[in-house]
Amino acid sequence: MKVRVRFAPSPTGYLHIGGARTALFNWLYARRTGGVFVLRIEDTDVARNSQQAVNVILEGLRWLGLDWDEGPINGDATGPAKGHCGPYFQSQRQENYSRRVEALLSRGLAYEQEGTIKFRMQREPVLIPDLVVGEVKRELTDREQAEPDFIIVRSDGQPVFHLVNVVDDLEMNITHVIRGEDHLSNTAKHIALFRAFGVEPPKYAHIPLILNIDGSKMSKRDKGASLTTYIEEGYAPEALVNYLALLGWSPKDNKEKLPLEEIVERFDLPQILRHNARFDLAKLNWLNGEYVREMQDDRFYELSIEALGRARLDTHKYPEAYVKAALDTCKGKFKVFGELAPYAGFYFTDEITCAPEAAQRDFVPENKPRMLKLREALAALEPFEPDAIGATFASTAKELGVKTGVLVHPVRLACCGNPAGPSLYHLLAILGKDRVFQRLNKAVARIG
């Protein structure tokens, strides 16, 4: 039987990093087995759902590169189609749920009570064979023994999660349900519903939860809980996918940087770990830095330009050769693309704001004649290239009887606005003589 898995988020806020990891594990298993990855939006809770939240989910999955394989065609909520024409929406499948409820009622497996419809739950313990957790025996609690039945349709006529989840898994022929361990408590009800419909349930694999580094449960309010955070802060999606794959799964050889093709080739459900995973932001930052450092130039330029655009720096106003030369001076100097604009934004703006403490230290009266002397020496340079610029700094410093750093610090601050950044002689050459002199002139005027 061909493997069919699904990711079924609710559009009630944002895409949690744990949900992204669940989507990834399902996607990996589908790709590893040559199966099908279904995306299904569980949007029956009309009061809490929003189109904006749906868009966040879709954009997040696309950013991660997790393409789904089926979806409705031209509004038909049942037909399969390859590509991003989906996903399925539960709100478009109400007839399916009503038909299944009627079947349960007609067979005495459900009944009406105070405006709701309840499922007649079995009274004996339920055995849950789980591919990750192992066999779990679900006993009825003391409270459940008195009232084990549960609501499947609310008094307002809306079907509840337990019913729609099972009906969709049944009708979409889902073979494996890979989801967070927090859903394990629901599984006995789901197995009972499957059997009430006369079919065997899919195979279950409940994956460990993602915790904060201190071992506490990662809530919506915790930093880093939302996938959107990583998009906005400029993480490379391939690095985040790599890191998420290692949260609860082990390739057994302690290898940490794995290309996606290798993860797909090696991923399997028996390798999923039992213990909860701790989200270590420092480790993610290290891994992202490794990806940035080793990234192919075209990919580095692409993500750099996107990050600068988010910081409202328009690189399209500059020649392509200038942009690439500027970005080349930054590679390997930061771990997250969100750090690029503060580090190298000076290349793409004429408005330089100098760090106040550095300005107080470097824009002092004695540096004014030194900077004027250096500007005069640089004016004679042709071509305006790094080696010649460096030699001019050294010869001017010697002539003035000071160390080269005495000239380097105020010039860097004048041209970059920060006391640290890319190699000074290279960045001056890239900025070009005109821009450099404009910035030196403004700094000298500030001192005077």
Side-chain angles (χ1 to χ4, degrees), residues 104-303:
L104 293 175
L105 287 168
S106 67
R107 296 166 54 207
L109 297 174
Y111 58 92
E112 296 184 45
Q113 185 182 77
E114 298 178 359
T116 68
I117 298 176
K118 283 190 169 184
F119 175 71
R120 204 178 297 279
M121 181 63 178
Q122 66 184 67
R123 268 53 180 172
E124 63 273 12
V126 178
L127 290 178
I128 305 169
D130 193 282
L131 297 174
V132 175
V133 180
E135 188 171 85
V136 177
K137 186 176 183 181
R138 177 73 166 85
E139 305 272 4
L140 294 176
T141 65
D142 292 340
R143 181 179 60 81
E144 288 172 336
Q145 286 179 3
E147 183 56 56
D149 302 344
F150 58 92
I151 293 172
I152 55 173
V153 179
R154 294 193 296 262
S155 58
D156 61 1
Q158 287 296 316
V160 303
F161 161 76
H162 301 299
L163 176 75
V164 296
N165 186 276
V166 167
V167 170
D168 283 341
D169 284 348
L170 188 163
E171 297 190 355
M172 294 179 181
N173 298 312
I174 300 301
T175 62
H176 294 72
V177 173
I178 305 169
R179 60 187 181 186
E181 194 171 330
D182 51 335
H183 283 289
L184 184 58
S185 60
N186 299 322
T187 306
K189 294 177 179 178
H190 296 178
I191 288 176
L193 277 166
F194 273 109
R195 290 177 177 157
F197 290 127
V199 297
E200 280 300 302
K203 296 178 180 179
Y204 287 94
H206 287 91
I207 59 181
L209 302 180
I210 296 179
L211 306 178
N212 291 312
I213 193 66
D214 62 2
S216 61
K217 186 176 179 179
M218 183 178 278
S219 72
K220 291 183 177 181
R221 294 178 297 277
D222 290 326
K223 178 176 173 57
S226 169
L227 180 68
T228 304
T229 300
Y230 302 95
I231 300 174
E232 292 175 346
E233 294 187 2
Y235 285 80
E238 50 266 51
L240 186 60
V241 164
N242 186 163
Y243 182 69
L244 289 178
L246 298 175
L247 288 179
W249 170 77
S250 172
K252 301 300 182 186
D253 59 3
N254 295 322
K255 189 175 179 182
E256 293 184 309
K257 188 173 185 292
L258 294 159
L260 183 58
E261 297 77 12
E262 186 174 346
I263 297 174
V264 170
E265 182 180 335
R266 301 174 69 174
F267 183 85
D268 206 356
L269 298 179
Q271 298 163 352
I272 294 177
L273 307 173
R274 277 289 297 115
H275 57 79
N276 291 329
R278 299 198 182 199
F279 195 95
D280 186 343
L281 187 59
K283 185 172 181 180
L284 170 59
N285 288 342
W286 167 80
L287 183 61
N288 199 82
E290 291 297 295
Y291 269 87
V292 174
R293 184 173 60 83
E294 299 175 12
M295 198 169 276
Q296 294 292 319
D297 286 346
D298 286 348
R299 179 64 170 160
F300 179 75
Y301 298 147
E302 176 189 359
L303 295 183

Side-chain angles (χ1 to χ4, degrees), residues 331-351:
K331 197 168 185 181
K333 304 295 178 65
F334 59 87
K335 293 181 178 179
V336 178
F337 282 95
E339 299 170 356
L340 177 59
Y343 183 77
F346 64 87
Y347 281 120
F348 308 106
T349 180
D350 292 327
E351 299 299 322

